[in-house]
Amino acid sequence: MTWQAPGVTVVPPGVSSPRTIAAAGRTDRTYVLFLGRSTALDPITGVTDDAGNTWTRLDYAPKSGSTGRRAEVWSCRPAAPFTVVSVAFTGSGVCLGALLEVAGAAGPDVSAADVRSNSGAPAPVTVAPTVGGGIALAAIVATPTPTSQITPSAGWTLVATDSGGPAVAYRPDPPAGTPVGVSWTLSTATGSGHAITVVKAAPVVPAVTVTVWDGAAEQPATLAGVWDGATVQPATLT
């Protein structure tokens, strides 16, 4: 599948909960929300939107200890359009994030999150897609290093996020069964939090062509409905 770059909406960084994101959420899109904290121990307590859709936390780190920075990845396939997403949290650390809108996606495949101790070249966090043809999305929370001083490994493309982070990159069509992840390079060694998810491609629905035999050849036809003895009633081919 030919993937377009995900649309990105920045979560305004701040210490007051909740952080709100103005976004025109559509029901034919998959949304991936990367969230981070400037400390490792301050959690995200929930994500909601003004249409009442369900947001699911796919993974988070750290699960224990105080190494690195907090990193989480959430996702939503809206049943109703939304205009505002709210991120609630506790603790005094800055909350930051990026909301990605992915077209042509069916939802998450595999996800992971982990932390890394002080390093300018942290080891990648990887996942192995169960199917091919998806798109991999990855984020690093490495405050106070600005995103302009964070570089992903070859094959990954950065998207524009807040200068304070997280840095987010994507890679289309990672192969099934092969671990995929970003080797980030930081200008200054620091502890970091990492999250990655692979989103599956939406299935392609084949077009249905209706024809009729005119006695000599097949001719294109349109199904207007079926006759019930009195009127034509709407009908759908399945």
Side-chain angles (χ1 to χ4, degrees), residues 21-207:
I21 314 157
R26 296 171 46 166
T27 57
D28 62 344
R29 298 287 191 266
T30 293
Y31 292 87
V32 173
L33 177 58
F34 288 111
L35 295 169
R37 304 297 300 277
S38 58
T39 61
L41 297 179
D42 291 341
I44 307 297
T45 57
V47 177
T48 58
D49 66 42
D50 60 341
N53 294 296
T54 298
W55 290 78
T56 302
R57 186 172 67 176
L58 304 177
D59 208 345
Y60 69 98
K63 295 177 175 64
S64 63
S66 58
T67 297
R69 308 286 185 268
R70 184 80 175 187
E72 302 197 5
V73 55
W74 295 66
S75 182
C76 177
R77 180 77 177 186
F82 61 82
T83 59
V84 177
V85 178
S86 298
V87 179
F89 54 91
T90 59
S92 59
V94 172
C95 177
L96 46 95
L99 175 66
L100 277 65
E101 180 185 83
V102 187
D109 179 15
V110 287
S111 306
D114 207 347
V115 291
R116 297 290 184 258
S117 57
N118 196 49
S119 174
V125 174
T126 64
V127 292
T130 64
V131 294
I135 185 170
L137 310 167
I140 180 173
V141 181
T143 56
T145 305
T147 55
S148 60
Q149 297 178 27
I150 301 175
T151 306
S153 47
W156 292 83
T157 302
L158 280 173
V159 297
T161 57
D162 186 80
S163 60
V168 177
Y170 70 95
R171 175 185 167 182
D173 300 317
T178 301
V180 59
V182 184
S183 296
W184 299 98
T185 301
L186 286 61
S187 62
T188 304
T190 188
S192 53
H194 303 249
I196 183 171
T197 189
V198 175
V199 177
K200 294 179 290 188
V204 176
V205 179

